[in-house]
Amino acid sequence: MSNIFVSHNNIVSSLGFTSESVVQNIHNEVSGLQFIDDPNILPEPCYTSLVHTEKLQTEFNILNPQKEYTRLEQMMITSLNKVILSSQIDINNRVGLIVSTTKGNVDALDNNSPFPKERAYLSELGKQIKDFFGFKHEAIVVSNACVSGILAVAIAKRYISQGIYDHVFITSGDVITEFILSGFNSFQALSNEPCKPYDKNRTGINIGEVAASVLVSKDDKNAPEEAVRILGEGSCNDANHISGPSRTGEGLFRSMKSAFNQAAISTNDIDYISAHGTATLFNDEMETIAFNRMQLEQVPLNSLKGYFGHSLGASGLVETIVGMHALKNNTLHKSLGFESLGVTKPINIITKTTEKKLQTFLKTASGFGGCNTAVIFQKNK
Amino acid sequence: MNTDFYITSYCNIKNNQMSLNGSLLFSDESSSFLEFIRSAYKSENTKYPKFFKMDNLSKLAFMAADVLLKNESLNTEGENNIAIVFSNKSSSLDTDRKHQESIQNKETYYPSPAVFVYTLPNICIGEISIKYKLYSENSFFIFDNFNADHLFAYSNSLLSDNKAESVLCGWVEFDDENNYEAFLYLVSKTGTLKHTKQNIITLYTR
């Protein structure tokens, strides 16, 4: 167990530009997914979730930018700015910055991009964020496929426990680009309906765009009510396949075991699981097997992909923030898009948004390259 | 910070030369990267057909890891809790450019899953994990330059929290044919060369 907290937080998404507004929409079972039919992004129509462009520009321009920023940078800066302001932390030598993303400004590689191709280097993205806020240290950019957002929390904790930083700000994000959609479509993984995680009529993934930011700190002074303590974390590989999930859920199982060992709590102490649930057959099945191996099949579980789609490098962080608010509000949110069980072992999917006393939750994510991450969080107050 | 961890071996691949613990294993200075890395693979007598499907970054990282781990006489029947912590500047940009090329013109639009899967830097970690059955902690970081401070701190954290018995870490960079470099080293709980920032930098610049 640690005395390290996830504290101030923000989400910039199709469902709002504050964590509170996003969580309220989730509470009301509002989805940010929308149908798009835009041959400039994808030859076929699909469902996605997009950040409202005019609203983003309005909010970003208030920050008085002195030069041009990419859409992703605008989203990350808008989001991180709110977290820095509410934390009232002075950006000094003891404060670190982590940027998590899978593809960053990859759209700068497009010949039609107004930005130079050099902008596609992820260290360049890190530099833009660092310079905007005047961080004293180089940004630590985490790019570990779809676990990046939640892995960033584990990394922040490890930096703080090594005594290198007192506070670490994380911003994570990915944007909808032709690059990403064409790639997932070549895997025939995209759905042209709203996604249905764990459902027997599932039709595949929706990709969405989100920026999410948090403060990870050794201090809970001035922390908001939804702040949580990080009890334990683990990030293990399947060692099985570069693009297909393990059939035995090996890496996820080991990640959870590692997190539980460190947290020194039992699986009975978990009140809620915020799972990955991408709504592909192989992912959903793999997670189900891993949760059963951990004897977590009775614990209420959801996937939030029905609200935002899969926001890649941001998904783990945005879902952690929603989980923190779920704890504060003592609310289990419906796993949107789920009707009847489409996996081969039992899991307890939340079918109705309900009030329940909550203390501790488990966040998991899995991604290409066989990576998996599990982190356990507990209510602080 | 003083630690009780040690650097037990290291591998460098650059300028069409591959060396282990400072001694040259293979060099082929006249050829392209692809010819060089294939010849290096053959010279090591590595029998692993998946190698030929990998992108440039994965081929580079795989070779460096393979010569280093092969030398460790690991018990591959049992489990080896070796974490992998890699970093570079160009992420998977070399393959990103190839995927972008396949979608740039609508007349020749043909995105391929075999290319797209390599548009993530951590895929090379997956490739090494599969070969050596490493079900261990893994992460990929991006920095402007080789960052010994970060690698030092993160390896220490994994070892002192008992998340791993040893850490395979370093820099695997592939921007293009003429700009590539791998430097991997193994940090363990026993050994003779102390795991310090200065020692990491010395081995990197050797």
Side-chain angles (χ1 to χ4, degrees):
Chain A
M1 200 172 96
S2 74
N3 274 318
I4 298 170
F5 306 89
V6 185
S7 176
H8 297 271
N9 56 88
N10 171 268
I11 299 169
V12 165
S13 74
S14 57
L15 291 178
F17 278 46
T18 63
S19 301
E20 288 73 18
S21 60
V22 169
V23 171
Q24 187 60 46
N25 273 318
I26 290 173
H27 191 88
N28 298 335
E29 297 175 21
V30 176
S31 173
L33 292 169
Q34 63 180 99
F35 181 76
I36 57 157
D37 189 359
D38 178 355
N40 289 323
I41 301 183
L42 196 66
E44 298 142 51
C46 69
Y47 264 80
T48 181
S49 126
L50 298 168
V51 169
H52 195 280
T53 300
E54 279 170 37
K55 189 167 189 239
L56 175 64
Q57 272 159 10
T58 308
E59 289 225 5
F60 184 66
N61 285 335
I62 294 171
L63 306 180
N64 197 21
Q66 299 298 308
K67 56 176 192 171
E68 294 300 313
Y69 288 91
T70 67
R71 179 178 178 80
L72 178 61
E73 288 157 8
Q74 292 184 25
M75 283 165 52
M76 285 180 156
I77 290 169
T78 301
S79 174
L80 182 56
N81 181 62
K82 294 185 187 200
V83 176
I84 293 174
L85 281 184
S86 63
S87 74
Q88 300 179 335
I89 283 175
D90 173 39
I91 310 262
N92 60 30
N93 212 28
R94 301 291 304 160
V95 178
L97 169 66
I98 296 180
V99 174
S100 82
T101 184
T102 63
K103 293 315 306 164
N105 290 318
V106 77
D107 42 337
L109 292 182
D110 192 313
N111 290 340
N112 301 316
S113 168
F115 290 90
K117 291 198 167 40
E118 288 67 39
R119 199 68 158 234
Y121 285 89
L122 296 183
S123 56
E124 189 54 36
L125 171 65
K127 213 177 287 173
Q128 296 296 336
I129 309 292
K130 168 193 179 265
D131 290 347
F132 189 92
F133 295 103
F135 279 90
K136 307 295 179 236
H137 298 279
E138 182 182 0
I140 297 163
V141 180
V142 180
S143 188
N144 216 62
C146 298
V147 309
S148 302
I150 182 65
L151 180 60
V153 175
I155 293 164
K157 173 186 174 248
R158 290 167 180 177
Y159 258 87
I160 293 169
S161 59
Q162 282 289 304
I164 291 164
Y165 296 127
D166 295 333
H167 313 283
V168 177
F169 286 97
I170 304 172
T171 187
S172 66
D174 270 298
V175 284
I176 291 295
T177 56
E178 184 185 22
F179 186 103
I180 287 169
L181 291 185
S182 64
F184 275 97
N185 200 43
S186 74
F187 270 99
Q188 301 184 314
L190 292 184
S191 174
N192 56 6
E193 290 175 43
C195 66
K196 296 172 181 167
Y198 310 110
D199 190 83
K200 71 173 177 197
N201 298 315
R202 65 167 88 66
T203 51
I205 295 185
N206 306 141
I207 306 290
E209 64 183 9
V210 162
S213 309
V214 297
L215 168 68
V216 180
S217 176
K218 63 171 196 168
D219 207 339
D220 61 345
K221 205 172 60 186
N222 301 325
E225 210 186 323
E226 67 272 16
V228 289
R229 189 187 299 267
I230 308 169
L231 298 188
E233 79 287 344
S235 187
C236 298
N237 201 284
D238 285 334
N240 174 65
H241 195 278
I242 54 169
S243 59
S246 155
R247 296 203 180 235
T248 58
E250 195 61 36
L252 180 57
F253 172 68
R254 286 173 188 248
S255 301
M256 291 191 283
K257 264 179 75 171
S258 170
F260 274 100
N261 282 342
Q262 192 170 26
I265 62 168
S266 94
T267 52
N268 294 328
D269 297 319
I270 300 294
D271 298 315
Y272 158 56
I273 301 170
S274 175
H276 192 48
T278 57
T280 69
L281 177 66
F282 290 122
N283 171 81
D284 293 0
E285 184 67 19
M286 176 282 285
E287 286 185 270
T288 303
I289 288 165
F291 291 136
N292 274 269
R293 286 178 69 187
M294 281 301 290
Q295 299 181 313
L296 284 163
E297 68 274 11
Q298 302 292 332
V299 180
L301 165 157
N302 65 14
S303 157
L304 296 170
K305 303 293 189 286
Y307 297 96
F308 311 102
H310 185 357
S311 52
L312 307 176
S315 63
L317 194 63
V318 69
E319 291 159 11
T320 296
I321 295 171
V322 175
M324 289 162 63
H325 286 264
L327 253 51
K328 178 181 88 171
N329 300 331
N330 291 302
T331 302
L332 293 170
H333 295 118
K334 175 180 172 168
S335 192
L336 203 62
F338 174 78
E339 279 169 11
S340 49
L341 197 66
V343 286
T344 59
K345 285 189 182 307
I347 41 171
N348 182 9
I349 296 169
I350 303 164
T351 54
K352 193 164 172 277
T353 296
T354 40
E355 279 192 26
K356 193 188 171 212
K357 193 99 185 101
L358 303 175
Q359 199 64 33
T360 309
F361 84 102
L362 166 68
K363 172 73 206 123
T364 66
S366 304
F368 277 2
C371 55
N372 302 270
T373 300
V375 184
I376 302 167
F377 299 98
Q378 192 162 69
K379 207 182 257 185
N380 187 33
K381 283 169 187 159
Chain B
M1 196 184 349
N2 286 320
T3 64
D4 295 310
F5 306 130
Y6 300 87
I7 300 172
T8 49
S9 59
Y10 62 99
C11 171
N12 307 67
I13 303 179
K14 63 178 172 185
N15 302 329
N16 286 14
Q17 296 190 336
M18 178 166 80
S19 63
L20 179 65
N21 298 325
S23 0
L24 188 67
L25 288 180
F26 180 77
S27 80
D28 180 2
E29 281 165 47
S30 60
S31 59
S32 68
F33 170 77
L34 201 57
E35 289 163 346
F36 159 73
I37 203 78
R38 280 180 183 159
S39 313
Y41 167 90
K42 278 183 199 132
S43 78
E44 283 296 307
N45 205 18
T46 309
K47 299 272 183 280
Y48 197 64
K50 274 185 196 165
F51 174 81
F52 296 99
K53 289 188 182 175
M54 296 178 194
D55 74 341
N56 288 326
L57 177 65
S58 287
K59 281 194 176 84
L60 176 65
F62 178 87
M63 270 321 291
D66 196 56
V67 294
L68 198 153
L69 292 177
K70 214 160 51 180
N71 191 47
E72 288 298 307
S73 42
L74 301 174
N75 173 11
T76 45
E77 298 300 306
E79 290 207 358
N80 296 290
N81 189 359
I82 303 172
I84 303 183
V85 179
F86 285 177
S87 56
N88 76 8
K89 175 186 167 70
S90 301
S91 177
S92 53
L93 268 178
D94 173 57
T95 300
D96 294 359
R97 293 182 191 113
K98 294 189 173 105
H99 178 65
Q100 181 62 38
E101 220 168 279
S102 74
I103 60 170
Q104 188 66 57
N105 297 312
K106 297 298 158 268
E107 297 75 39
T108 54
Y109 184 89
Y110 196 73
S112 147
V115 174
F116 183 68
V117 69
Y118 285 100
T119 62
L120 293 163
N122 65 299
I123 296 298
C124 68
I125 296 179
E127 297 283 16
I128 295 161
S129 299
I130 293 166
K131 170 79 194 313
Y132 281 92
K133 294 189 182 69
L134 302 178
Y135 303 98
S136 28
E137 280 278 342
N138 57 97
S139 187
F140 207 108
F141 296 95
I142 314 291
F143 294 101
D144 217 17
N145 291 294
F146 181 72
N147 188 329
D149 284 336
H150 171 75
L151 293 173
F152 176 72
Y154 201 67
S155 306
N156 281 348
S157 153
L158 291 174
L159 292 167
S160 54
D161 284 348
N162 289 313
K163 294 287 184 192
E165 284 302 312
S166 50
V167 184
L168 175 65
C169 69
W171 181 257
V172 281
E173 162 73 354
F174 195 99
D175 196 343
D176 59 51
E177 278 273 317
N178 304 313
N179 293 288
Y180 75 86
E181 179 180 34
F183 166 60
L184 296 184
Y185 59 96
L186 196 66
V187 188
S188 302
K189 293 180 177 176
T190 54
T192 48
L193 181 65
K194 276 240 175 200
H195 179 232
T196 65
K197 271 181 249 185
Q198 192 48 55
N199 284 338
I200 294 168
I201 292 166
T202 306
L203 298 180
Y204 171 64
T205 49
R206 187 167 277 187

